[in-house]
Amino acid sequence: MTSLRTFLTAALLGGIFLSGCSLPTETKRDDDGNVVEANENASVMDMQVGDCYGDFGSINSDESTVFETLPALPCDEPHDYEVFAGKKIEAKSLPAESTLWSDTEEFCMKKFASFVGISYDDSTLDLVYFYPTSESWDLGDRDMTCLIEDPDQRTAGTLKNAKR
């Protein structure tokens, strides 16, 4: 069972926006949209369900962590995270961060169980999620994005129906 501390660390990973640290580069995809080549600077604004990512650094559990780019990898290569669900936010204006957090958490937890085959509370796997910041909202970001990880090892392939 995943510890509450691990969950809180994951839950506090929120917000994405473009600010200017390292410039995003285009991710090479096949005709089905799958990442076919590693890209250290893949834009977080281009995440898609089925994408896989390498380690994107430590997450400060005391505050939201903001990312501009993530290291995208083909999913058949060892990776740390897999995007397993996503949803567009229907609101006309940016909801309060507490609402974004709770709505995204609820959505990702529900999708986690159907993706993995068991509930988050019974799983050894973990999740992190992204939702818009005020800066990314102004750039058109409306995405809730859910990622899964095995905190004990890197994964090659998918964690779909892992039932662990």
Side-chain angles (χ1 to χ4, degrees):
M1 179 182 209
T2 306
S3 72
L4 181 58
R5 184 171 178 348
T6 302
F7 173 70
L8 289 174
T9 299
L12 285 166
L13 173 65
I16 54 179
F17 76 105
L18 301 173
S19 66
C21 238
S22 57
L23 294 176
T25 56
E26 185 177 347
T27 300
K28 293 183 180 170
R29 297 177 180 275
D30 64 18
D31 291 339
D32 294 325
N34 300 310
V35 174
V36 294
E37 186 177 300
N39 178 0
E40 284 297 314
N41 296 308
S43 172
V44 294
M45 301 283 281
D46 294 334
M47 283 193 290
Q48 298 178 21
V49 172
D51 285 356
C52 295
Y53 294 92
D55 184 22
F56 39 81
S58 62
I59 301 165
N60 184 341
S61 62
D62 296 329
E63 59 187 54
S64 294
T65 304
V66 178
F67 292 91
E68 177 182 306
T69 63
L70 299 173
L73 296 168
C75 290
D76 59 353
E77 294 182 14
H79 56 272
D80 299 287
Y81 301 93
E82 175 183 356
V83 178
F84 69 92
K87 177 182 173 181
K88 292 281 184 202
I89 297 168
E90 304 276 331
K92 299 224 185 276
S93 60
L94 179 67
E97 184 171 2
S98 61
T99 300
L100 285 169
W101 184 350
S102 64
D103 288 355
T104 305
E105 177 181 273
E106 181 180 327
F107 171 74
C108 291
M109 291 292 242
K110 179 180 166 190
K111 293 296 183 178
F112 185 96
S114 62
F115 183 80
V116 174
I118 61 174
S119 73
Y120 179 81
D121 291 336
D122 294 330
S123 179
T124 60
L125 303 174
D126 225 342
L127 68 89
V128 295
Y129 46 81
F130 289 85
Y131 52 80
T133 64
S134 59
E135 292 87 354
S136 71
W137 186 271
D138 290 344
L139 295 170
D141 179 18
R142 302 292 185 272
D143 296 324
M144 295 179 184
T145 306
C146 312
L147 294 86
I148 190 169
E149 72 165 323
D150 183 333
D152 297 324
Q153 63 188 2
R154 298 186 92 196
T155 302
T158 183
L159 290 170
K160 184 170 180 65
N161 296 317
K163 293 186 172 85
R164 56 184 172 98

